[in-house]
Amino acid sequence: MWFSLAVTRFLWDKVTWERKRFKRNSPSRGLVLTPQPRLFLIYKTHSRPRRLSLRLAFMWKGKSAVTDSDSEFVDLNPTITYRHLLSHALGVKDPLRVIALCDSDAFYAGCEMVRLGVDPEQPLVVSQWDSIIAVNYPSRKFGITRMDKVKDAQKRCPNLVVVHVATYKEGDAEPEYWENPDTKTHKVSLDFYRRESNKIHNMFKESLPAGAELEKASIDECFIDFTRPVREELLRRYPHLAQAPPGAADTPLPPPPTTVTWNANLVSIRPKDDVANNLQESSTSTLGDPEPEDSLITWHDVALSVAVDMMQSARDQVRTKLGYSTSAGIARNKFLAKLTASYRKPNSQSVLRNAMIPHYLRPFPFQKIRFLGGKLGNAVAKEYEASTVGDLLAVSLDEFQRTFGEDSIWIWEIVRGIDRSEVKEKPPNSKSMGASKNLPTPVTMSCEGPHWIRVMAAELTLRLNDARKISPGLWPRTIALSTRQGWSATQRKQAPFPFLRNVTIDAVAAAGDKLWKELVGPLNSTKPLSTKITHVSLSFNGVEAGEVNQQGIEGFLSKAPSSPRKRKRQANSDDEEIVETLPASSSGESGPKPDIDYFICDRCKRRIALPEELTMFASELDEDTKKDALGSLRAEHQDFHFAQDLSKMPSDDERPEKPNPKWTVQPRKKGKHKDGGTNGEGIERFFTKR
Ligand code: TTP
């Protein structure tokens, strides 16, 4: 009894203290903080007293939950010490971290405007067949949107310029802008946009200050980590920060300047009228929120303002040298930078100060957050009768994890604006390149295949040769052909692709034809196929810089007679993916030799041998070359398993990055969860398995 009274008294004091603090700190209106009758019960139920802030004290279900204020958001104004500023180790927890997301405005339309040299005010859309896929900003004034039909858009804006994307047709080495391309014979090409995207990316690389990290996020977006160059600029502008007091590196920095010049829109202080004029659907719902009175300038604000200037200068370069208009968002991490980038478009940049994060996020419809739009978002919305981030702030980490499993710490963090993912340059070349076509008129006879093979071969050839301009010696280890009818199972056949110094459409088409013959039937057969083919794709896989002595191999290959040996396919279904050569003992002559020409995979226990193009000339290849080739094969085989593992998991687009254990605020004890927790599936069960 005495103990219960003491605990109740302690909690009541805490409520009173928190209420005072809330009133002092919170600019939000209309939130009433009242202690809940369940307070004591909850305290007893949860085994983690350290997490017992008031947020656990409120009912966690439903909109009736009273939300706490900025105290829900961690580290909005961290103490920044000399050590933070002067340390060489910058990590994702750096309190001066500054990240930008730069997005090209109406990208495909922008590319066409640059190509055609049209007036910036000219309404223009890009179409694919009769649908619109990109709408420039002048067209948006007419209410034209992506996925409108061309005819409808033209009715709204008779002056509209409509550009159909370039297409390949059989015999073209390059895609062209045909006047009336026909989906029955042509294939869409996005190569021009890829090339322009690379140009913009390279321009950013050139114009960003040294030390900035750049990561291509999509065809028209890149993340930039400005933390390092910003820090250098801070030290240049404020040299008194360069010297920590002797032996006291953990001393907080002296006060920052009291004002900052922002060369950007400040998120959440924009007047309502401005919002009405904004043609882009805004991702903010904090329209007209006032700036909190107590949001004094911090060192992080100064860092943001420095990054804003750096971003502006890089965007100016892209604009003046390449003609592309871009918009950028600058904030403390990738998630917030991405949200901020769409705050105001086009040709603009916006900044989200830490002090504004609660105001910006709280009213935000949480299902608009990446990965929370699908099944998981619906389940969360239902479980907590929640629609905004603010609604979810009342849900404790324990409660999330009890219901949605360990990984749901990711949700708990993201609604608080926490994202510790790094900005990392991805390898310049993707390991695979594919060309595919949905066939409006299905292929019903085998002899119809070579037409599409040739069209796709042209696209693949162009892409590989483009990539080789940047990384000479790139070589796809294999070429694969896939066909399917509707959404039925895909038929796939793959074969090694020889290293060729000059990759030509003829060579790629010949390899594709060979696969077609094996997978579908003779190239000239007019016999009706048992199943119609409605989708076909040709791809290069394992595209990497050559590791073997390519010149030598190419020489060999050009002399190589076609192999009389048969290839074996194992009964296992995985073998659709693998073409394996027979060991020497099965074929007689110059097959792979034990220990040198093959390896046994640890995972599938299969014997994986060098392609016969190599082993056929084994006697002429030196041991190092063979070892290198075997190393490549091993890596490729591991990639295959990796790809298989991935295919069993939700796709990148659907699945949150698995939270890194290092990010975890507090490890959760093993406990009894609802199915999200105990069955080990957690939030993954909400993502479609493929
Ligand atoms: P987005 O960046 O989504 O859009 P956008 O650049 O056209 O316009 P905004 O200024 O509003 O960002 O897409 C980039 C390009 O990708 C776009 O120009 C066309 C293409 N695209 C499609 O082809 N289909 C689609 O469904 C989407 C979303 C984009």
Side-chain angles (χ1 to χ4, degrees), residues 91-136:
V92 291
K93 289 186 179 171
D94 191 313
L96 285 172
R97 194 167 186 236
V98 187
I99 309 291
L101 183 277
C102 189
D103 180 15
S104 297
D105 297 322
F107 184 52
Y108 289 5
C111 291
E112 297 302 346
M113 288 165 78
V114 167
R115 184 178 68 83
L116 299 169
V118 302
D119 185 293
E121 292 309 313
Q122 168 64 50
L124 178 148
V125 294
V126 177
S127 68
Q128 183 173 312
W129 314 125
D130 60 350
S131 293
I132 291 175
I133 57 169
V135 184
N136 76 352

Side-chain angles (χ1 to χ4, degrees), residues 356-657:
M356 295 296 162
I357 293 172
H359 305 265
Y360 187 48
L361 281 187
R362 194 176 284 109
F364 192 82
F366 78 85
Q367 286 181 279
K368 281 194 175 183
I369 296 175
R370 194 166 178 236
F371 307 123
L372 284 176
K375 284 190 215 165
L376 175 62
N378 288 338
V380 170
K382 199 168 156 209
E383 179 74 18
Y384 304 113
E385 296 168 39
S387 61
T388 64
V389 164
D391 296 336
L392 290 185
L393 291 175
V395 182
S396 72
L397 176 59
D398 272 355
E399 167 55 21
F400 267 133
Q401 293 190 316
R402 188 176 299 112
T403 308
F404 292 99
E406 296 282 316
D407 287 353
S408 61
I409 186 173
W410 171 78
I411 310 175
W412 189 90
E413 290 191 330
I414 211 77
V415 297
R416 284 160 180 76
I418 300 171
D419 173 17
R420 300 197 177 100
S421 47
E422 283 178 281
V423 173
K424 241 187 190 164
E425 173 90 271
K426 293 186 187 121
N429 296 294
S430 153
K431 282 198 160 189
S432 51
M433 297 176 177
S436 63
K437 173 81 185 171
N438 283 321
L439 304 170
T441 312
V443 162
T444 54
M445 295 178 289
S446 185
C447 65
E448 292 162 356
H451 162 77
W452 290 116
I453 297 283
R454 212 168 168 78
V455 170
M456 292 186 296
E459 182 170 354
L460 279 186
T461 307
L462 182 87
R463 286 181 62 189
L464 182 62
N465 286 332
D466 269 1
R468 278 183 166 188
K469 283 179 199 151
I470 301 161
S471 309
L474 275 184
W475 170 37
R477 302 309 200 255
T478 55
I479 182 168
L481 174 75
S482 305
T483 61
R484 65 160 200 262
Q485 178 182 27
W487 293 105
S488 62
T490 300
Q491 305 297 312
R492 191 166 188 272
K493 182 87 189 158
Q494 173 168 300
F497 190 77
F499 180 85
L500 301 169
R501 192 190 307 271
N502 297 314
V503 176
T504 61
I505 299 173
D506 285 343
V508 179
D513 282 349
K514 190 161 177 275
L515 291 173
W516 180 271
K517 201 170 146 194
E518 291 171 22
L519 191 67
V520 182
L523 301 179
N524 53 4
S525 168
T526 52
K527 209 172 123 198
L529 295 173
S530 55
T531 46
K532 295 174 187 168
I533 294 170
T534 59
H535 180 92
V536 56
S537 81
L538 193 64
S539 61
F540 281 148
N541 301 307
V543 183
E544 280 178 62
E547 286 154 20
V548 292
N549 181 348
Q550 293 151 340
Q551 192 179 349
I553 291 170
E554 185 180 20
F556 295 140
L557 291 182
S558 62
K559 291 182 275 172
S562 62
S563 168
R565 290 186 297 158
K566 282 189 185 157
R567 290 172 182 232
K568 178 187 161 195
R569 252 220 254 155
Q570 292 188 352
N572 188 314
S573 63
D574 288 359
D575 274 22
E576 282 299 317
E577 312 280 329
I578 292 183
V579 176
E580 197 177 341
T581 49
L582 278 176
S585 55
S586 323
S587 63
E589 12 148 69
S590 61
K593 291 169 191 59
D595 301 323
I596 297 203
D597 296 329
Y598 72 89
F599 67 92
I600 306 289
C601 171
D602 290 337
R603 285 188 63 177
C604 61
K605 308 293 173 216
R606 274 190 238 151
R607 174 193 172 100
I608 309 296
L610 286 176
E612 58 194 5
E613 284 84 343
L614 286 182
T615 55
M616 190 178 294
F617 302 101
S619 58
E620 295 174 68
L621 289 177
D622 62 70
E623 290 305 302
D624 285 345
T625 302
K626 273 189 279 184
K627 266 189 207 155
D628 283 348
L630 202 58
S632 303
L633 193 67
R634 192 185 287 273
E636 190 197 333
H637 185 72
Q638 279 163 357
D639 284 349
F640 157 69
H641 280 299
F642 182 65
Q644 272 200 322
D645 293 344
L646 278 184
S647 71
K648 289 173 193 151
M649 292 159 67
S651 76
D652 267 0
D653 282 340
E654 293 172 315
R655 175 171 195 272
E657 285 178 51

